Amino acid sequence: MANYNFQKDLLLGKEVEKEALEKLKKWLKIKSVVFNTNYKYDFLVELENSSRTYEVKTDLMCGQTGNTVVEYESRGKLSGISTTEADFWIYKFDDGFYQIPTKKLKEVIKEQLYFREVNGGDRGSNTKMYLFRLAVLKKRMQKL
């Protein structure tokens, strides 16, 4: 996010979740959706014979920087990729929505394809993130 204000970013995030869901509806035959309010995932979709969970992220600066991040700690506690239980991550970049299986994203991190670790976030959050070149991550993602 780019507001560096948790409440503003949360509202934006909820809107982007709805947009991501609309994109998924073009690819999947979704029977129902349940939005979640904890760290495990953002929403669950029920399909005909299975279900999937999704984490949705927005990167408003990637078009300017050519980079994106994956959060792993905030406010002194594990967060983001470290705690998610989502099956897939969806990112909204400046040119659209992309998805990656969480397992694959964790492999990319384990392979250290990020180019450095950074701190940021809103005041006092001391959010820690892996910084990726956008092109490196997009090569491993599917555009929705």
Side-chain angles (χ1 to χ4, degrees):
M1 302 279 176
N3 293 308
Y4 300 105
N5 177 293
F6 180 79
Q7 292 304 320
K8 286 183 181 179
D9 288 341
L10 184 62
L11 291 174
L12 176 60
K14 294 297 177 193
E15 290 302 314
V16 173
E17 288 173 19
K18 292 175 187 172
E19 290 177 43
L21 182 57
E22 290 305 311
K23 292 287 184 183
L24 285 175
K25 286 180 179 178
K26 295 177 182 177
W27 289 79
L28 303 171
K29 292 184 180 181
I30 297 172
K31 292 174 67 176
S32 66
V33 178
V34 177
F35 285 90
N36 191 28
T37 58
N38 64 30
Y39 66 89
K40 295 180 180 183
Y41 56 85
D42 289 326
F43 60 82
L44 174 142
V45 296
E46 291 287 341
L47 306 173
E48 193 166 315
N49 297 314
S50 64
S51 62
R52 296 179 181 179
T53 52
Y54 290 86
E55 182 74 28
V56 181
K57 302 295 180 190
T58 306
D59 190 332
L60 301 174
M61 301 298 292
C62 67
Q64 297 170 20
T65 65
N67 302 322
T68 194
V69 298
V70 177
E71 177 184 318
Y72 65 89
E73 184 180 305
S74 184
R75 302 183 195 294
K77 296 180 182 177
L78 294 178
S79 62
I81 195 69
S82 299
T83 59
T84 189
E85 295 180 18
D87 299 312
F88 292 87
W89 275 44
I90 295 176
Y91 271 90
K92 181 180 182 183
F93 296 131
D94 59 333
D95 66 339
F97 286 84
Y98 291 78
Q99 75 173 354
I100 184 170
T102 303
K103 182 178 178 180
K104 187 172 183 178
L105 182 56
K106 288 181 177 184
E107 289 170 4
V108 168
I109 292 167
K110 188 174 182 178
E111 293 171 19
Q112 297 184 344
L113 297 180
Y114 56 91
F115 69 95
R116 70 177 190 203
E117 295 180 48
V118 296
N119 289 7
D122 55 310
R123 185 182 299 269
S125 71
N126 192 32
T127 302
K128 296 180 181 178
M129 302 162 277
Y130 301 107
L131 187 63
F132 285 89
R133 299 270 185 237
L134 189 56
V136 169
L137 201 52
K138 277 186 177 179
K139 282 183 189 176
R140 288 143 182 93
M141 302 176 101
Q142 175 188 26
K143 187 165 185 180
L144 295 177

